[in-house]
Amino acid sequence: MKADSSRGAAGGWPALAASSKHVAKAGNPAKAIPALLRMNQPGGFDCPGCAWPDPHDTSVTEFCENGVKAIAAETMRGKVNGDFFRQHTVTSLLEKSDYWLESQGRLAEPLQYNPQTDRYDSVSWEAAFEKIGEHLRSLESPNEAIFYTSGRTSNEAAFLYQLFVRQFGTNNLPDCSNMCHESSGVAMTDSIGIGKGTVRLEDFALADLILIIGQNPGTNHPRMLTELQKARARGAQIVSINPIKEKGLLEFLHPQDVPAMLTNRSSRISSLYLQPLIGGDLAVFKGIQKAVLELDAQAEQSLLDSEFIAAHTSGFEKLKADLAALSWEAITEQSGLSEAEMRDVARLYVGADRVIACWAMGLTQQRYAVATIQQVLNLLLLRGNIGRPGAGACPVRGHSNVQGDRTMGIYEKPSPAFLERLGSACGFQPPSEPGYDAVAAIEAMANGKAKAFIAMGGNFVRATPDSAFTEAALRQCPLTVQVSTKLNRSHLVHGREAFILPCLGRTERDQQAGGLQSVSVEDSMSMVHSSTGRQRPASPHLRSEPAIVAGIAKATLRDSQIDWEGLIGDYARIRDVISRSIAGFETFNERLRAPGGFHLGNSAAQRRWNTAGEKAHFVSVPLPDLAIPPDCLRLMTIRSHDQYNTTIYGLNDRYRGIRNERRVLFLNPIDIQRLGLEAGQRVDLESDYGDGQQRRADGFVVVSYDITPGCAASYFPETNVLVSVKDIAERSHTPVSKLVPIRVVAHP
C-alpha cells in the first residue's frame, strides 16, 4: 500500500463532504446543525474539541471538521443504558473495537457493574453517590484514592473537583496534561517563569516567521490553518519541522472561502519543510542556534538583540561556549538533517523581525522533551522574540480546557501559594504532600497502594502507555468510577465495584435551581470565556459535571462546611469562590460578561520573569544518547484524521490516503526495501527496551510514505501497548511515545 500526502490540499470539498457525512451518520441533523451554528459564538458554547482560540470577529460558521465530528457525536440518537447492557455482557463488549463502542450513542443513565451477570445495571444517582462515598470513607488513607481529569472539563467543574479532593485529604490529581504538554510547562516555567504560551491570536497577523514543530494542525487544530494561510499570503515565512510529511502543512483550501472553493485555488503553507529523525529535535535546535551565532560573528552589526540579552537573560556566555564546542558532525548525525538545512532556518530566523515558535506533542512526548523545548526558547531569546507583538512561544494544547484545568488547580504538585489561598478562601487546611501523576497513578494501582480510581471524563485505559500493564492495574482496584458522555473501553476495564456516571455534553442545557447555567473555559492563549449549551439533553437522567462532583462530595465529606447544594444552584457562586481562591480571577463573574471573555495576562509576555534571578534563562544541555538496537526503527504514535485524542470517529485517514483501516505502519520506501518487506504486507511490531518484557502489537499493514528513513509512524491507541510505562520524559514524567524502539516482524 502506498499513500501520498502531497496530492490535493487539506480542507476543501472533501472536508465539507466528510462533515456532512458525520452529521448524517449521527442520525440527528435537526439537532446537530443548529448546534453547529452556536459553536464558538457569543452566547453560544465552546467547541468541545481543541483549544485553539476564537477570533475577535467570529464568522457565522466558526467551526472546523473536528468540531462537526464532536457535535455529531454529542447529538447521536443511540442510547447506552440498562437496556443496552441487557443485550451485551462486559466481556463480549471487550471484543468490540473502540470505534464500535463509541458509535453506540450517548450514555443515558447511571450504571453500576453487576459481577454476577457481567453487565452494568441501572442505578439511581443517590444510590451511586452513597456507595462511592462509602468506599472513599472506608479507605485507610485519602492517598489511596486517585482522581483523574480530562481536559474537556469546565473551569467550574475542575475547581469543584480539586476542592472536593483536597478537602478529602489528597493531591492525587493526575490529568491528561501529564501525558501531553507537561514537558512544555516544566521547560517554560524554568526558562521564562510561566508554563503557558506567551502569544495571543492577533500576534499571528504580525509575525514574519512561524516555526511549526512536531505538530499536525490539519488534523489536530484545523482552525489554525486559517491563520497560517493568512500569514503566508502576506509574506510571512513558515518553517515546518516534522519527520512525516503532513498535508495540512503543505497546502490548504479553506472550506468557507467560496471563491477559492469554486476555483479549487489552494494555498501553500510551508515555505520550508524539514524532516529530522524522531527524537532529533534537540540536536536540530542546537544546530540552528549554532548557525545563528556563527552568522552573528560574521556580521558587521550584531544580529542578536544584545540589549535584551543583557537586561533580561542569564546564561548566554555559557550557551555560546557550549555551541562553539559542539561539532556539526555530531549535530547532523543525531538530528538527521544536513548542516545546510539548519543554516537555511538560521538565515530565515535572523532575517525576521518577529518570530513565533509553535509546537505540540511531537516535541513534548520525547525522552528529552524538556531540554528540547528549552532549546526552542533559547532560539527565541537570542533575538528578543518573547515579550513583544508578533513574537513568542506557542505550545498548542489539545483538549478544549486542558489549560484551564491546570489553572483551576488540577495538579498533583500544587504550589504553597495556591494551597494557602485556597485554604483561606474555603476554610480548611489543604494537604501539602505531592500526589501521583498519571504514570505514578498506574504504578500505585498496580502495587496495591491505590484502591479507588475516579475519572472526570477521558478514556484513561486508551490514553495511557503499556496497555496490558495499565489494564491489569485498574482491574486490581476495589472501586472505579467513570464520568462520561459516551461508552469507551475504560468502562469495560473496571475495578471490582464500578460505576458509569453520565454527564451533560457541552452543547446541552444545564438547568439548575438558579436557572440556565453557563460554564467557562480557557483556551491555549489564556483567553477565558463563557460557554452556554442550548440543546435539549440527550436524556433526562443526565447531570452536569459540577453537579456530579457535588453529589460525590456530599456523600463523602460528612463534616464539610462547603455549601455544595448552593454552589450547584448557581454557578456564579462557584466563580465567586474561584475569585477568592485563584490569582488572576478577581471579579470573575463581572469580567466573564465581556464579549469574548478576558485575557489572564502572561508575565513573560510582559517581560517579567518569575524565575530564580528574575531573568529568562538560556539553558545549555549536552546532546543525549539516543541509541537504539541496530535492528530497530524509531516509532512515533500519531492520530488519524478521523480521530480526536482517543475518540475514533471513523476508520479513514483522508489526508494520508488510508481507507477503512487503523492498524497501519507508515515506513519510508528505503526501509521497506531494506527490511525485505512489501507495501500492503501484514507485519507484527515488537518494542525493545532491554527490560526483558515482551510488548507486541500484531497485524499492521505496511504503508509506503514520506517519512524520515529509519523512522516509523502508527496510530495510537493501537500502539500504546508497545510503550513502556517506565520510559518517561526527564523531569516531566510524560510517557515517551516519540521514539519507541520497534522491530518489524513478518505476520504469519
Side-chain angles (χ1 to χ4, degrees):
M1 180 185 294
K2 182 178 180 181
D4 187 359
S5 66
S6 63
R7 291 191 210 164
W13 292 106
L16 289 181
S19 298
S20 300
K21 178 181 176 182
H22 280 280
V23 170
K25 188 173 71 173
N28 204 351
K31 191 173 183 181
I33 293 171
L36 288 170
L37 297 177
R38 296 189 182 101
M39 187 190 295
N40 300 324
Q41 302 293 335
F45 65 92
D46 186 71
C47 178
C50 77
W52 189 254
D54 301 332
H56 289 305
D57 299 319
T58 57
S59 68
V60 175
T61 51
E62 192 59 51
F63 55 82
C64 66
E65 185 180 342
N66 277 3
V68 173
K69 292 172 182 175
I71 296 313
E74 200 161 283
T75 57
M76 293 173 73
R77 284 192 182 275
K79 299 291 182 288
V80 176
N81 51 23
D83 289 339
F84 173 88
F85 279 100
R86 278 187 277 278
Q87 301 173 47
H88 304 282
T89 65
V90 169
T91 300
S92 69
L93 290 171
L94 283 168
E95 301 301 316
K96 302 291 188 180
S97 70
D98 295 300
Y99 172 55
W100 187 92
L101 293 174
E102 291 160 358
S103 299
Q104 300 312 297
R106 291 287 300 278
L107 292 164
E109 62 180 345
L111 299 163
Q112 179 180 8
Y113 180 67
N114 184 336
Q116 276 71 48
T117 62
D118 189 32
R119 304 173 195 274
Y120 277 94
D121 296 332
S122 304
V123 65
S124 71
W125 280 103
E126 291 69 23
F129 290 150
E130 187 57 38
K131 290 177 181 179
I132 293 167
E134 287 176 5
H135 264 283
L136 294 177
R137 291 196 307 274
S138 70
L139 298 175
E140 292 183 9
S141 164
N143 291 324
E144 291 183 334
I146 292 167
F147 300 87
Y148 177 74
T149 317
S150 156
R152 67 168 296 280
T153 305
S154 69
N155 288 331
E156 290 74 11
F159 179 81
L160 282 193
Y161 195 47
Q162 65 82 35
L163 175 59
F164 155 56
V165 171
R166 292 192 164 106
Q167 279 212 331
F168 180 59
T170 184
N171 284 313
N172 286 344
L173 283 159
D175 73 329
C176 58
S177 286
N178 297 150
M179 293 178 284
C180 55
H181 268 286
E182 196 69 59
S183 300
S184 297
V186 173
M188 297 177 73
T189 300
D190 275 6
S191 289
I192 61 174
I194 187 170
K196 299 181 180 184
T198 67
V199 301
R200 298 178 67 171
L201 191 59
E202 49 264 38
D203 288 313
F204 281 78
L206 303 173
D208 303 307
L209 171 65
I210 302 171
L211 304 174
I212 310 293
I213 316 153
Q215 185 191 358
N216 178 17
T219 287
N220 301 331
H221 313 91
R223 289 194 298 154
M224 182 179 179
L225 291 180
T226 303
E227 300 305 322
L228 298 181
Q229 180 189 47
K230 290 189 291 188
R232 188 73 195 276
R234 61 176 174 76
Q237 299 293 310
I238 297 175
V239 174
S240 295
I241 302 175
N242 198 320
I244 189 169
K245 279 284 179 73
E246 299 289 14
K247 183 171 289 188
L249 293 172
L250 298 173
E251 199 170 356
F252 176 54
L253 176 55
H254 199 313
Q256 297 174 22
D257 184 341
V258 175
M261 289 284 284
L262 292 176
T263 58
N264 202 32
R265 188 179 69 253
S266 60
S267 303
R268 296 293 297 176
I269 297 298
S270 297
S271 42
L272 182 63
Y273 202 122
L274 305 183
Q275 292 178 265
L277 284 167
I278 295 171
D281 301 277
L282 193 154
V284 169
F285 280 90
K286 286 179 74 76
I288 296 171
Q289 290 175 82
K290 182 178 176 71
V292 167
L293 292 179
E294 290 176 355
L295 286 171
D296 179 64
Q298 298 162 8
E300 293 183 6
Q301 293 184 327
S302 178
L303 301 175
L304 308 182
D305 191 335
S306 301
E307 291 184 6
F308 172 83
I309 290 171
H312 290 282
T313 72
S314 65
F316 177 62
E317 294 302 324
K318 182 179 179 182
L319 179 72
K320 282 180 63 178
D322 170 64
L323 295 172
L326 183 61
S327 72
W328 276 107
E329 181 181 11
I331 293 171
T332 56
E333 180 182 358
Q334 189 171 111
S335 68
L337 298 181
S338 69
E339 179 180 337
E341 287 175 307
M342 287 177 273
R343 288 191 182 279
D344 285 344
V345 180
R347 280 189 286 272
L348 288 174
Y349 179 72
V350 299
D353 288 335
R354 296 170 294 275
V355 180
I356 294 174
C358 306
W359 68 87
M361 288 186 285
L363 286 196
T364 65
Q365 292 180 331
Q366 298 183 26
R367 185 175 297 111
Y368 303 101
V370 171
T372 299
I373 293 164
Q374 289 175 327
Q375 300 313 297
V376 176
L377 297 171
N378 283 353
L379 182 65
L380 293 174
L381 293 171
L382 286 174
R383 285 176 51 83
N385 276 306
I386 293 181
R388 55 194 180 89
C394 182
V396 183
R397 314 281 178 169
H399 255 316
S400 61
N401 196 41
V402 63
Q403 186 158 297
D405 282 356
R406 183 57 58 87
T407 303
M408 290 295 108
I410 301 294
Y411 190 33
E412 74 278 0
K413 294 180 287 189
S415 69
F418 171 84
L419 293 178
E420 181 180 356
R421 186 161 178 161
L422 178 69
S424 175
C426 299
F428 76 109
Q429 183 63 50
S432 58
E433 178 185 356
Y436 296 129
D437 60 23
V439 168
I442 296 168
E443 293 175 329
M445 287 186 285
N447 62 31
K449 291 183 178 179
K451 298 175 180 177
F453 178 85
I454 298 178
M456 185 60 56
N459 185 355
F460 189 78
V461 161
R462 298 303 263 162
T464 46
D466 227 335
S467 304
F469 182 81
T470 299
E471 290 181 12
L474 275 162
R475 286 191 168 107
Q476 284 195 184
C477 281
L479 173 70
T480 56
V481 180
Q482 303 284 342
V483 180
S484 309
T485 57
K486 292 195 302 173
L487 185 67
N488 64 50
R489 195 158 299 274
S490 290
H491 304 131
L492 312 177
V493 180
H494 54 78
R496 291 194 292 276
E497 186 156 17
F499 294 88
I500 301 173
L501 305 181
C503 64
L504 293 170
R506 190 74 63 78
T507 65
E508 293 170 322
R509 288 197 300 268
D510 185 352
Q511 194 76 32
Q512 302 295 339
L516 181 67
Q517 301 300 309
S518 299
V519 295
S520 62
V521 295
E522 177 186 348
D523 64 32
S524 268
M525 298 179 190
S526 300
M527 284 296 297
V528 179
H529 57 275
S530 65
S531 175
T532 309
R534 303 284 181 176
Q535 300 294 321
R536 176 187 296 175
S539 163
H541 303 296
L542 303 184
R543 293 197 181 183
S544 71
E545 287 178 317
I548 293 171
V549 172
I552 297 174
K554 287 194 301 177
T556 305
L557 306 175
R558 297 304 198 195
D559 57 353
S560 174
Q561 300 302 305
I562 300 295
D563 180 10
W564 300 101
E565 201 75 46
L567 292 176
I568 297 308
D570 185 348
Y571 295 174
R573 297 168 188 158
I574 303 175
R575 291 187 284 273
D576 283 338
V577 181
I578 293 172
S579 296
R580 301 192 298 271
S581 303
I582 299 179
F585 282 83
E586 294 78 10
T587 64
F588 188 4
N589 280 304
E590 201 174 308
R591 296 163 72 193
L592 196 61
R593 287 193 286 270
F598 63 94
H599 189 254
L600 281 175
N602 185 285
S603 55
Q606 298 163 9
R607 293 190 170 178
R608 291 186 292 105
W609 318 104
N610 296 325
T611 61
E614 298 184 342
K615 289 192 173 184
H617 300 316
F618 284 102
V619 177
S620 300
V621 294
L623 288 181
D625 179 6
L626 297 179
I628 62 174
D631 57 343
C632 285
L633 297 169
R634 301 173 179 220
L635 173 74
M636 64 178 182
T637 66
I638 58 175
R639 297 175 183 167
S640 80
H641 190 65
D642 261 357
Q643 173 180 359
Y644 190 76
N645 293 336
T646 59
T647 300
I648 311 301
Y649 293 122
L651 301 179
N652 300 330
D653 190 344
R654 191 173 73 250
Y655 289 168
R656 300 188 183 106
I658 304 299
R659 291 189 59 80
N660 201 36
E661 182 62 79
R662 285 194 53 82
R663 299 184 81 82
V664 297
L665 181 70
F666 297 99
L667 293 178
N668 188 283
I670 294 172
D671 290 315
I672 294 175
Q673 183 177 20
R674 179 176 61 84
L675 295 171
L677 303 173
E678 295 180 357
Q681 180 178 351
R682 288 274 176 184
V683 296
D684 302 333
L685 311 179
E686 298 175 350
S687 58
D688 184 353
Y689 291 95
D691 58 2
Q693 294 190 41
Q694 185 181 52
R695 297 177 179 88
R696 185 181 177 99
D698 293 339
F700 286 72
V701 180
V702 172
V703 176
S704 178
Y705 208 76
D706 192 349
I707 185 172
T708 307
C711 297
S714 191
Y715 303 136
F716 77 88
E718 287 81 357
T719 48
N720 285 4
V721 67
L722 299 170
V723 181
S724 171
V725 75
K726 302 289 186 184
D727 192 18
I728 55 178
E730 286 192 345
R731 301 184 60 209
S732 68
H733 295 178
T734 297
V736 176
S737 300
K738 308 299 186 281
L739 209 171
V740 179
I742 63 161
R743 290 186 183 86
V744 181
V745 182
H747 188 70

